[in-house]
């Protein structure tokens, strides 16, 4: 069984922590704390036993300064915009039609996903955020654009009537995901849609984040136009498109993608 979270707070600014312990930092009105989520009781080691030393006071000042500077940034997010849909309900019986659970829907939520989620996170940090991608001519794009407007994201998306808005619907009961349903079209964008998207990249920004989920938006013409901007380029990559990323300043693959 998991042990509860342990919060360790000290008046001084130095914490000495065993390196093997998972450490989580967060900022609150009372300052920084270190939370240990351990399979056994947490231990704080003396200075002569230290493996990791964290100066929380210095970290706090640096983080606050970084957050202040972020409010002056203008970032363009380009990639596969998505709508995340969550259907929550309860399961009390099995269907007589097939051996599957029957979910009685209690509520549903819509959230920004994919490149839209990246833009949402930046906007929440106070960054002036632009989002460029492709949506369908459907009800999903209205929900997506409404969420973007509420988040304060500048909408540079292009409508393509030949494809659906990428949507991932998750059916959840008792905190357990039972099923995911995807609406998507992975064909590379081309023609009028590609031309219009390239034109919408002509905004004055400090950096570009490419959020690539291999849904057809990130392509050679798009990357060429982004590189012409001569700004910092960060890429959340997909191995299938690795040939497109040459010249980027930063990539953030997960373990499998690396």
């Amino acid at each position: 069984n998991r042990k509860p979270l342990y919060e360790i707070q000290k008046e001084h600014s130095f914490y000495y922590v065993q390196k093997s312990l998972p450490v989580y930092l967060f900022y609150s009105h009372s300052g920084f704390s270190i939370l240990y989520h351990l399979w056994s009781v947490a231990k704080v080691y003396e200075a002569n036993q230290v493996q990791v030393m964290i100066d929380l006071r210095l970290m706090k000042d640096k983080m606050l300064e970084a957050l202040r500077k972020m409010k002056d940034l203008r970032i363009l997010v380009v990639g596969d915009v998505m709508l995340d849909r969550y259907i929550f309900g309860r399961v009390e019986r099995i269907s007589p039609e097939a051996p599957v659970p029957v979910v009685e829907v209690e509520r549903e939520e819509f959230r920004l996903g994919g490149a839209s989620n990246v833009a949402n996170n930046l906007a929440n940090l106070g960054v002036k955020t632009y989002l460029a991608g492709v949506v369908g001519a459907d009800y999903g794009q209205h929900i997506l654009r409404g969420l973007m407007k509420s988040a304060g994201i500048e909408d540079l998306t292009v409508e393509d009537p030949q494809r659906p808005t990428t949507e991932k619907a998750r059916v959840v009961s008792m905190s357990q995901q039972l099923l995911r349903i995807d609406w998507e079209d992975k064909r590379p964008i081309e023609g009028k849609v590609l031309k219009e998207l390239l034109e919408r990249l002509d905004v004055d920004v400090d950096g570009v984040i490419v959020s690539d989920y291999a849904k057809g938006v990130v392509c050679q013409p798009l990357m060429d136009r982004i590189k012409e901007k001569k700004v910092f380029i960060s890429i959340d990559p997909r191995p299938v498109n690795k040939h497109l990323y040459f010249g980027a300043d930063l990539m953030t693959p997960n373990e499998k993608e690396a």
Side-chain angles (χ1 to χ4, degrees):
N1 294 329
R2 290 192 174 190
K3 301 293 183 180
L5 290 172
Y6 294 84
E7 180 174 357
I8 300 176
Q9 296 179 312
K10 298 290 184 180
E11 292 182 358
H12 54 76
S13 63
F14 291 95
Y15 286 77
Y16 302 93
V17 185
Q18 186 182 21
K19 188 176 181 180
S20 62
L21 303 180
V23 179
Y24 301 90
L25 297 178
F26 70 93
Y27 179 71
S28 65
H29 293 295
S30 60
F32 278 91
S33 300
I34 295 183
L35 294 181
Y36 298 90
H37 192 182
L38 308 174
W39 299 105
S40 58
V41 176
K43 295 183 180 180
V44 179
Y45 284 70
E46 299 296 335
N48 59 355
Q49 298 172 305
V50 67
Q51 294 185 25
V52 174
M53 180 176 68
I54 305 172
D55 187 345
L56 296 181
R57 184 171 56 201
L58 180 59
M59 182 179 292
K60 172 185 174 181
D61 293 341
K62 287 183 176 180
M63 289 186 68
L64 290 176
E65 179 62 22
L67 288 172
R68 281 192 290 267
K69 289 182 177 179
M70 291 186 74
K71 296 181 184 297
D72 298 325
L73 290 177
R74 297 158 299 168
I75 301 296
L76 170 62
V77 180
V78 183
D80 299 299
V81 300
M82 301 180 191
L83 180 64
D84 283 344
R85 180 181 182 184
Y86 292 85
I87 302 169
F88 298 95
R90 65 180 184 274
V91 174
E92 296 180 340
R93 60 193 176 96
I94 300 298
S95 171
E97 303 168 356
V100 294
V102 175
V103 179
E104 297 182 29
V105 177
E106 297 175 321
R107 62 186 174 92
E108 70 176 346
E109 295 179 9
F110 293 95
R111 304 173 189 173
L112 294 168
S116 317
N117 182 51
V118 176
N120 186 46
N121 291 335
L122 288 169
N124 284 332
L125 289 171
V127 177
K128 177 64 176 178
T129 308
Y130 303 83
L131 176 60
V134 176
V135 297
D138 52 22
Y139 182 66
Q141 62 101 356
H142 291 293
I143 299 175
L144 188 64
R145 284 176 161 161
L147 292 172
M148 290 164 55
K149 184 177 180 180
S150 297
I153 300 167
E154 288 288 329
D155 182 5
L156 303 179
T157 59
V158 176
E159 187 175 301
D160 182 355
Q162 303 303 316
R163 68 171 66 214
T165 299
T166 300
E167 180 179 339
K168 299 181 182 298
R170 299 165 177 88
V171 181
V172 181
S173 179
M174 299 290 291
S175 302
Q176 177 66 47
Q177 182 173 315
L178 305 179
L179 177 68
R180 196 179 90 179
I181 306 168
D182 291 359
W183 289 267
E184 62 185 24
D185 186 338
K186 298 180 181 179
R187 292 177 300 163
I189 58 173
E190 56 186 6
K192 181 181 178 181
V193 172
L194 175 58
K195 181 176 182 294
E196 188 174 349
L197 181 60
L198 295 179
E199 291 172 350
R200 296 198 179 191
L201 301 184
D202 189 22
V203 289
D204 185 18
V205 294
D206 301 298
V208 178
I209 297 177
V210 178
S211 184
D212 188 5
Y213 285 80
K215 307 300 183 187
V217 171
V218 179
C219 56
Q220 191 66 62
L222 182 83
M223 292 304 302
D224 290 343
R225 181 63 61 88
I226 290 172
K227 292 170 187 176
E228 289 173 2
K229 299 180 76 64
K230 306 295 184 182
V231 296
F232 187 90
I233 301 173
S234 174
I235 298 178
D236 184 9
R238 284 298 181 272
V240 67
N241 286 334
K242 62 183 179 182
H243 61 287
L244 301 175
Y245 305 145
F246 181 78
D249 298 285
L250 175 69
M251 286 201 295
T252 59
N254 58 33
E255 184 177 359
K256 181 179 179 181
E257 292 165 343

